[in-house]
Amino acid sequence: TTVATNLATSLAHLSEMHGVAIVDLNLLIGDVPTFLDISPRYTLAEISKNIDRLDAAFLMGVLTRHLSGVYVLPSPDNMDEINQLHPDDIAKTLTIMRTVFDFTIVDAYRSFDPLAMQVFDLSDIILLVSTLDIPSLRNTKRLMDTFHALGYSEDKIKLVVNRYTKGSEIPLKEAYA
């Protein structure tokens, strides 16, 4: 979430008025609004409930604009709303967002369920965030292998090292070996 929100706010400084949106798809513990210190009125559940009405105008009415210029679509507030989300609704939402915004950042969770697969398939770039410790790098390798087995190109998957310090448990050069 830190990487996603920082990326979104940084891109907003480079984009036009409707340049950047962030979607919080970390459904159980979504924190994008907390990280941006906002209290959105609507969530992704509002779109799901009104999927037949979804167009660019409806979308803009549901989003919350942060002071940085980033438009935010938070995850639902409760389990009942989360359980009502359908991968096709997410695909439709993200497809419309791609026509409205220069950049759409999705803060996703670690999963390969149908919802996540919709997001991965629609993504131009997937940023895989890891830290330089053995368990994280082992899991990162597994995820990279899974992405490649699914047919995603190396150009689509980018590794981001989070919390890097020169004294990390594993040197940066060895992490890429």
Side-chain angles (χ1 to χ4, degrees):
T1 302
T2 300
V3 172
T5 54
N6 285 336
L7 177 61
T9 56
S10 294
L11 287 171
H13 293 292
L14 304 172
S15 302
E16 295 301 317
M17 189 171 179
H18 294 291
V20 182
I22 186 167
V23 181
D24 194 344
L25 280 180
N26 194 341
L27 299 177
L28 294 175
I29 54 171
D31 279 330
V32 168
T34 302
F35 275 55
L36 294 173
D37 195 26
I38 60 172
S39 298
R41 185 171 175 195
Y42 301 110
T43 71
L44 190 53
E46 190 68 28
I47 289 177
S48 189
K49 292 175 193 172
N50 295 284
I51 197 67
D52 293 334
R53 294 179 47 207
L54 182 59
D55 60 12
F58 181 81
L59 175 70
M60 293 306 293
V62 172
L63 298 174
T64 300
R65 188 168 191 255
H66 181 258
L67 290 175
S68 66
V70 173
Y71 287 84
V72 180
L73 182 57
S75 61
D77 293 324
N78 62 61
M79 286 302 294
D80 289 337
E81 291 177 335
I82 291 170
N83 291 331
Q84 294 174 10
L85 296 178
H86 298 285
D88 291 342
D89 297 349
I90 300 302
K92 184 174 181 179
T93 303
L94 292 176
T95 299
I96 291 173
M97 292 181 93
R98 289 177 71 132
T99 67
V100 174
F101 297 100
D102 296 326
F103 301 97
T104 300
I105 310 299
V106 178
D107 184 20
Y109 53 100
R110 292 182 182 167
S111 176
F112 284 92
D113 66 12
L115 184 63
M117 292 305 299
Q118 282 282 14
V119 172
F120 297 149
D121 288 344
L122 289 169
S123 297
D124 293 324
I125 297 173
I126 299 169
L127 299 179
L128 182 57
V129 180
S130 183
T131 55
L132 293 180
D133 57 73
I134 291 172
S136 295
L137 290 173
R138 183 175 47 93
N139 289 333
T140 299
K141 171 77 168 106
R142 289 177 179 166
L143 289 170
M144 294 291 279
D145 291 345
T146 301
F147 282 127
H148 291 128
L150 291 169
Y152 296 127
S153 71
E154 289 190 25
D155 290 338
K156 186 170 182 160
I157 313 298
K158 305 293 182 192
L159 181 61
V160 175
V161 175
N162 196 19
R163 299 184 190 129
Y164 172 74
T165 60
K166 288 186 179 185
S168 292
E169 183 178 329
I170 299 172
L172 192 58
K173 289 181 182 179
E174 287 183 33
Y176 290 103

